[in-house]
Amino acid sequence: MNENKIPVTFRKRIILYNLLVIVCIAFLISIFTYSFYKKDVIASEAGNSANRLHLVASRLEIACNELINIVQNCAGRKSLFLASILSGRDSRSSEESGIYAANVLRDLCAISGYNEYIHKITVYEKDSLFIQAGTAYGSSNDAESIMAAAWFDELLNKNMREYTLTLRDNPFPLNAKTIPQLLPLIRPLQYSRKESPKDAWVCLTLSPRLFQDTLELLSQDSSILIMTDDFSPVGSMNMEAFSLAEITAFLGSHPEQTGNLRVQLSDMDCILIWERLSVSGLILCEVLPLKNISLNPDAIRATLGLVFVSSIVIGLSLSLLFIRYLTRPIMRLIAHMDSISSGNFARNPDIESNDELGIIGRQINEMSSHVSDLMENRIRDEQEKMNLEIKMLQAQINPHFLYNTLDSIKWIATMQHNAGIVKVVSALSSLLKNMAKGFNEKVTVRQELDFLDNYITIEKIRYIELFDVEISVDEPSLYDARIIKLTLQPLVENSIFSGIEPSGKPGLIQIHIFSKEQVLYISIRDNGVGISEENIARMLTDTSRVAKNYMSGIGLPNVDRRIKLVYGPEYGLEIDSKVGLYTCVTVSIPLEI
C-alpha cells in the first residue's frame, strides 16, 4: 500500500510546485500585459490629441495666412488703391476715390472668410490716404491712436518676413474697455514715396475671438490652450484646473515645434501635447490627465484573463509533460495495477525492463498470469452453476404448465365431443415445441406473443371465455426486440389464476409494450382481486409456497430470477397492486433490436 502511494504523492508535489511557479509567471505576464496595454492606450490617446491639435493648428494657420495675405496686399500692391492715388483734381472725384478704396478694402477682408474677426484694418498715407474696414466702429483719430500705441514702433520696424502675432493693448478708445487686447500686424506701404515709414503704413488688428471660436468646434471635454509666442493666452477650453505658469515653464524648456511630455500639473499626472505654428508663432497645447483616460475594463479583463489562462494551460501542459517523462515507469506500474484491479490480467511487456522497477514489473506480470488462470477457472465454474440454476428454474415451469394444459384437455374431453380437443392439442403441441428449443433462448417479442397466444387459446377454452386479453405495442419496431423465451406466459398465468379466477367474474388482461431510454418495458395488468401490500413485499422472494394448481409464489420469482441472471440485478419485475382493483406487473430488460 505504501509503495503505491509514493509515486502519487511525488507526482502531486511536482504538480503543486510547478503550479505555484506557473501562477507566479502568469501573474507577472498579466502585469506586464496590463502595463503594455495601458502604455499603448496612453500613446493612442496622445496620438489622438496630437491629431486634434494639428487640426486646430491647420485651421488657425489658414486663418493667419489669409490675414497676412491681406496685409501684404495692402502694403505691396499699389494697384488696389490706384483710383484714390490718381484722384485729387476736385473734391467730388477725391470723395469717390475714397469710397472706392474703402470698398476695395472691405471686399478684400470679406473674400478672406475671416472678416468677422478683423477688428480694424487701417491703410494710412499721410496727407493722401486714410481708409478703414472691420467689425469695430472707426474714428478720424484712429491713425493717431495707432501711432501713439506703445507697440507701434516695435511692430513697424520688424523684418518684412516676420509676422509673429503678439497680444497687445487695444489702442482704440471707443472699445478699449470691452476688448482690452488685440493682435496687431503692421507693415509700411512699400509703394509710398514718404520718407518715414510712420507716414505710410497698414495696420490690421485681430480679435482673439478667432481662437476661442475655433476651439468651440472641438469636443467640449478637451483641455486646450492657445498662446502667442510670448506665452500670452488668447484662447482656452477647460483649463481652469491647470496652472499656466507650470505649462509655460515646461514649454519654455522644450522649443521643439511638436511633441508630447508626461508632466505633473497641479498635482495631477498628465500628458502635455503641443504644436507651434512657424509663421504666426502661435503655440497650441492640450493637457491630457491620465486619470481621465478611459481604459476599457471589459477589454482589460478579457485580455488579462486570456493571458492568465493561456499561461496556466501552457505551463500545466509543460509540467505534465515533464512529469510524464519523469515518472513514466512508476505510472506504468500503477496503471497496470489499476488494470489488474479492474479485471484485466493480460501480460504487459512495457513494465518490464532491466532496472529495479522492471524487475518488479516482471513479478507483477507473473502474478497477474496466475491470478488470471484462477479467475478463468472460477468464471467457468460460476457459468456452469448459473446454467444449472437456469435449467432448474426452467424445469420448475415446464412440468407445472404441462399439468395445467393436460387438465384443460380433460375438461374439454368431458364437456365437448367435437374438434375443440384438436384445437387444444395443437396449441399444446406448439407450446411444447417452442419450449423444447432451449432453456435460455432469446426470441423476438412477436414470437413471444405468438407463443402467448397459444397459451391464451388453451386457457380461454378451459375457462369458457372468463377473461379477455388486450395487447398494445407503442412502436412497430418493438415487435423485433429480443426477450427471454417464456417470460410473458407465467405472468399472464399468474393474472388468470391469482387475479381473475378468485374474483369469480369476467376479467380483462392488458399487455402494454413500450420503450424508454433504451429499456424495454412490458406491463401485464389485470382487474382481479389484487395483492395486499405485505404480500407484494415478499412476492418476488418467497418461492416456498405452491398454491393449488396455479403458479402463485413460483411464476413471478422464477421470471424475476431468470431476468436478473441474464441481464443483471438492475432489471427484473416490479409489482403495483390495489386490493380489489388491479394488479400490474412490469418487466424491464435492455432494449435489443
Side-chain angles (χ1 to χ4, degrees):
M1 291 294 291
N2 292 334
E3 291 181 357
N4 290 338
K5 291 182 179 180
I6 290 175
V8 175
T9 304
F10 177 67
R11 183 179 64 177
K12 287 182 178 179
R13 286 178 179 176
I14 293 179
I15 292 177
L16 289 175
Y17 294 153
N18 288 345
L19 184 60
L20 180 60
V21 174
I22 291 166
V23 169
C24 293
I25 294 174
F27 182 75
L28 293 176
I29 293 175
S30 299
I31 293 177
F32 173 79
T33 303
Y34 174 77
S35 302
F36 181 83
Y37 173 79
K38 184 176 181 180
K39 182 178 179 182
D40 185 68
V41 171
I42 293 174
S44 176
E45 288 294 328
N48 293 337
S49 177
N51 293 334
R52 191 161 47 243
L53 279 184
H54 184 69
L55 177 63
V56 178
S58 298
R59 288 177 177 271
L60 293 180
E61 191 170 41
I62 293 173
C64 292
N65 289 340
E66 289 290 337
L67 298 173
I68 291 171
N69 185 57
I70 294 174
V71 173
Q72 287 177 338
N73 284 329
C74 293
R77 294 178 61 186
K78 181 179 180 180
S79 59
L80 283 175
F81 311 106
L82 187 60
S84 63
I85 294 172
L86 294 177
S87 65
R89 294 182 179 180
D90 55 47
S91 59
R92 182 176 181 181
S93 62
S94 177
E95 183 179 349
E96 291 175 353
S97 299
I99 294 173
Y100 170 80
N103 289 334
V104 169
L105 188 60
R106 281 194 294 270
D107 292 341
L108 191 63
C109 295
I111 292 172
S112 70
Y114 298 94
N115 184 50
E116 63 179 304
Y117 302 110
I118 298 175
H119 184 264
K120 280 185 184 180
I121 180 169
T122 305
V123 181
Y124 173 79
E125 188 173 19
K126 187 177 181 181
D127 300 327
S128 62
L129 182 65
F130 175 68
I131 56 175
Q132 289 192 104
T135 58
Y137 291 106
S139 171
S140 59
N141 297 324
D142 284 349
E144 287 78 12
S145 298
I146 293 173
M147 288 186 288
W151 41 265
F152 176 78
D153 291 334
E154 176 191 349
L155 298 183
L156 184 64
N157 294 323
K158 275 188 175 183
N159 187 291
M160 291 299 293
R161 295 185 178 181
E162 185 178 358
Y163 291 93
T164 303
L165 295 176
T166 54
L167 195 62
R168 304 301 176 111
D169 293 332
N170 188 345
F172 306 112
L174 290 178
N175 51 28
K177 292 184 178 180
T178 57
I179 307 176
Q181 290 184 311
L182 297 169
L183 293 97
L185 282 173
I186 301 179
R187 283 293 177 270
L189 299 180
Q190 299 175 19
Y191 51 82
S192 175
R193 295 179 180 181
K194 302 296 181 180
E195 295 180 359
S196 172
K198 292 184 177 182
D199 296 333
W201 43 264
V202 56
C203 176
L204 185 149
T205 52
L206 179 65
S207 172
R209 189 164 54 87
L210 168 64
F211 309 103
Q212 197 64 40
D213 289 351
T214 303
L215 292 180
E216 296 297 326
L217 300 175
L218 299 177
S219 173
Q220 296 303 302
D221 58 354
S222 301
S223 299
I224 299 179
L225 175 66
I226 302 176
M227 297 179 291
T228 60
D229 186 63
D230 58 356
F231 302 113
S232 298
V234 293
S236 66
M237 184 168 62
N238 302 324
M239 293 297 296
E240 297 81 9
F242 306 101
S243 170
L244 179 62
E246 291 178 342
I247 294 175
T248 56
F250 283 114
L251 293 177
S253 60
H254 292 82
E256 299 86 2
Q257 185 173 359
T258 61
N260 64 79
L261 191 67
R262 188 164 179 173
V263 296
Q264 285 285 333
L265 295 176
S266 303
D267 297 327
M268 286 188 289
D269 196 9
C270 305
I271 300 293
L272 181 63
I273 304 99
W274 73 87
E275 181 172 350
R276 287 183 167 90
L277 301 185
S278 57
V279 176
S280 62
L282 292 173
I283 303 172
L284 290 80
C285 66
E286 180 173 357
V287 179
L288 193 64
L290 295 185
K291 67 178 183 179
N292 294 341
I293 295 178
S294 177
L295 299 176
N296 191 334
D298 293 333
I300 292 176
R301 284 193 290 267
T303 302
L304 294 183
L306 180 62
V307 170
F308 191 85
V309 171
S310 300
S311 301
I312 294 292
V313 170
I314 294 174
L316 279 178
S317 299
L318 294 176
S319 176
L320 292 175
L321 184 63
F322 169 76
I323 293 172
R324 176 185 175 188
Y325 282 101
L326 182 64
T327 62
R328 178 178 289 181
I330 299 176
M331 298 309 297
R332 279 201 296 259
L333 286 175
I334 294 174
H336 187 62
M337 294 299 293
D338 290 339
S339 179
I340 291 175
S341 65
S342 62
N344 182 13
F345 299 97
R347 192 179 189 90
N348 184 5
D350 293 337
I351 64 173
E352 297 182 11
S353 60
N354 295 325
D355 55 18
E356 291 81 0
L357 291 176
I359 295 173
I360 295 175
R362 192 175 298 110
Q363 296 297 325
I364 290 175
N365 278 334
E366 294 295 333
M367 179 189 68
S368 64
S369 297
H370 292 303
V371 173
S372 178
D373 293 337
L374 292 174
M375 290 297 295
E376 288 179 0
N377 292 335
R378 181 174 179 179
I379 291 172
R380 186 166 52 250
D381 293 342
E382 289 292 331
Q383 186 66 38
E384 291 178 358
K385 180 180 177 181
M386 184 182 71
N387 291 341
L388 180 60
E389 183 175 1
I390 292 176
K391 290 179 180 179
M392 294 176 63
L393 291 171
Q394 185 75 24
Q396 286 181 331
I397 295 176
N398 292 341
H400 190 74
F401 172 69
L402 183 59
Y403 169 80
N404 289 333
T405 304
L406 293 175
D407 186 60
S408 298
I409 295 174
K410 181 189 70 175
W411 281 99
I412 292 171
T414 302
M415 299 174 64
Q416 299 181 7
H417 302 280
N418 54 32
I421 296 177
V422 176
K423 184 176 181 181
V424 173
V425 171
S426 297
L428 176 60
S429 175
S430 178
L431 289 175
L432 293 177
K433 181 179 179 181
N434 282 295
M435 291 169 58
K437 288 182 178 179
F439 65 92
N440 196 29
E441 179 185 359
K442 289 183 181 179
V443 296
T444 63
V445 170
R446 180 179 284 103
Q447 292 172 325
E448 179 72 1
L449 291 176
D450 291 341
F451 181 75
L452 179 64
D453 183 63
N454 290 325
Y455 170 74
I456 292 172
T457 298
I458 295 172
E459 294 300 337
K460 277 194 171 185
I461 294 175
R462 175 186 177 187
Y463 284 99
I464 313 176
E465 304 294 338
L466 180 65
F467 63 91
D468 286 321
V469 178
E470 292 181 356
I471 300 175
S472 63
V473 181
D474 281 4
E475 300 175 18
S477 60
L478 297 181
Y479 281 106
D480 297 321
R482 309 291 292 179
I483 186 173
I484 301 174
K485 185 177 67 176
L486 208 62
T487 296
L488 300 183
Q489 183 273 331
L491 304 181
V492 172
E493 183 175 6
N494 185 77
S495 295
I496 297 171
F497 293 159
S498 300
I500 295 174
E501 184 182 19
S503 70
K505 60 181 180 179
L508 175 64
I509 300 174
Q510 296 173 308
I511 301 175
H512 182 205
I513 302 175
F514 60 97
S515 65
K516 184 179 180 181
E517 297 179 355
Q518 295 301 308
V519 178
L520 178 66
Y521 295 96
I522 304 174
S523 66
I524 295 90
R525 179 187 179 99
D526 66 74
N527 57 354
V529 296
I531 305 172
S532 63
E533 292 184 2
E534 57 271 18
N535 286 335
I536 291 177
R538 55 190 176 87
M539 182 66 71
L540 300 179
T541 57
D542 185 6
T543 61
S544 60
R545 292 188 309 112
V546 178
K548 299 182 180 180
N549 60 346
Y550 50 87
M551 295 179 59
S552 178
I554 296 179
L556 297 185
N558 187 302
V559 174
D560 184 61
R561 180 62 177 163
R562 288 171 63 209
I563 292 174
K564 284 180 166 53
L565 285 173
V566 174
Y567 297 111
E570 65 270 27
Y571 301 101
L573 303 183
E574 289 187 5
I575 301 175
D576 179 29
S577 182
K578 293 290 183 180
V579 175
L581 294 178
Y582 70 90
T583 298
C584 182
V585 180
T586 302
V587 181
S588 62
I589 61 174
L591 181 60
E592 298 178 8
I593 297 179

